[in-house]
Amino acid sequence: MQRLTEHIAAFSNSPLAALTEKTPWALTTNSVSAVRRLLNGISEEFCVSDDVAIHRTTTVEAGALVKGPAIIGPRCFIAAGSLIRGGCWLEENCIIGPGSELKSSFLFAGSKLAHFNFVGDSVVGARVNLEAGSIVANFRNELADPRIRILHAGEIVDTGVDKFGALIGDDCKLGANAVVAPGAIFERGTIIARLTSVDQRPS
């Protein structure tokens, strides 16, 4: 099992700590219920409406769309033209840039989708940066059997789910227009070059 705490240092001290023993794909598959549970204990520092909790220090520009359930932490910036949906949790100082979409995902402190990004069904560590146009896909529509299988550290991991994007460790960087195929695991500090295609499915 890929331990979330091995990839994301702050996981065990975060509001998600009770979910530490879950696999990342179990967490993203159940993101809606996980975020709804967190909403039950949300503090008065958040403005809450229609299953969306936004910290009072966060900026959400006109034209951004946030669909609940969602929790957006302190000092985040959600740009015009962005979309957050499917059960998302953002820690502090995160940026969702213009034209970006975040779906069923968890972002830790200081992570950024610069602009025109898609990240689906993923767990993203702290200080991760996605340059413009980089994509983390979440579904293999090119295969008759879309079940997500991953070749990682010489072992084949069968997730048992049809949708999963990536587990991205702290301090990773994805270059502009890089494409990550569904089902990826990146160790802390991994750098993906611009225009790179990454596919960790076993052949």
Side-chain angles (χ1 to χ4, degrees), residues 28 85 101-105 113 117-124 130 133-142 146 148-150 161-168 174 177-186 196-200:
T28 57
R85 66 182 179 92
E101 179 180 351
L102 184 70
K103 184 257 177 187
S104 303
S105 294
L113 282 62
N117 308 100
F118 173 77
V119 173
D121 298 79
S122 296
V123 184
V124 180
L130 281 77
S134 53
I135 300 295
V136 179
N138 63 341
F139 181 71
R140 289 189 172 272
N141 67 344
E142 79 278 18
I148 303 295
R149 297 167 68 237
I150 307 166
V161 302
D162 290 346
K163 282 192 176 183
F164 176 65
L167 168 59
I168 303 177
L174 277 68
N177 294 320
V179 176
V180 177
I185 299 170
F186 295 131
T196 301
S197 176
V198 178
D199 192 341
Q200 294 181 353

Side-chain angles (χ1 to χ4, degrees), residues 4 8 11 16 19 21-35 37 69 85-89 102-108 119-125 136-139 148 150 159-168 182-184:
L4 290 156
I8 302 170
F11 198 97
L16 303 175
L19 305 173
E21 297 305 316
K22 287 188 175 293
T23 60
W25 38 90
L27 182 57
T28 57
T29 297
N30 297 290
S31 62
V32 168
S33 59
V35 175
R37 283 196 299 273
R85 66 182 179 92
C88 290
W89 176 88
L102 184 70
K103 184 257 177 187
S104 303
S105 294
F106 301 81
L107 267 66
F108 281 78
V119 173
D121 298 79
S122 296
V123 184
V124 180
V136 179
N138 63 341
F139 181 71
I148 303 295
I150 307 166
T159 67
V161 302
D162 290 346
K163 282 192 176 183
F164 176 65
L167 168 59
I168 303 177

Side-chain angles (χ1 to χ4, degrees), residues 95 110-114 117 124-132 134 168-169 171-175 190 192:
I95 294 175
S111 287
K112 303 171 184 177
L113 282 62
N117 308 100
V124 180
R127 301 172 301 280
V128 171
N129 186 65
L130 281 77
E131 288 185 343
S134 53
I168 303 177
D171 301 301
C172 290
K173 313 295 181 190
L174 277 68
T190 299
I192 306 300

Side-chain angles (χ1 to χ4, degrees), residues 45-46 54-59 71-77 90-94 109-110:
E45 296 176 349
F46 289 78
I54 299 174
H55 197 274
R56 297 179 189 277
T57 60
T58 277
T59 298
I71 298 174
I72 302 175
R75 299 176 300 283
C76 293
F77 178 78
L90 285 69
E91 208 176 22
E92 61 186 19
N93 297 314
C94 293

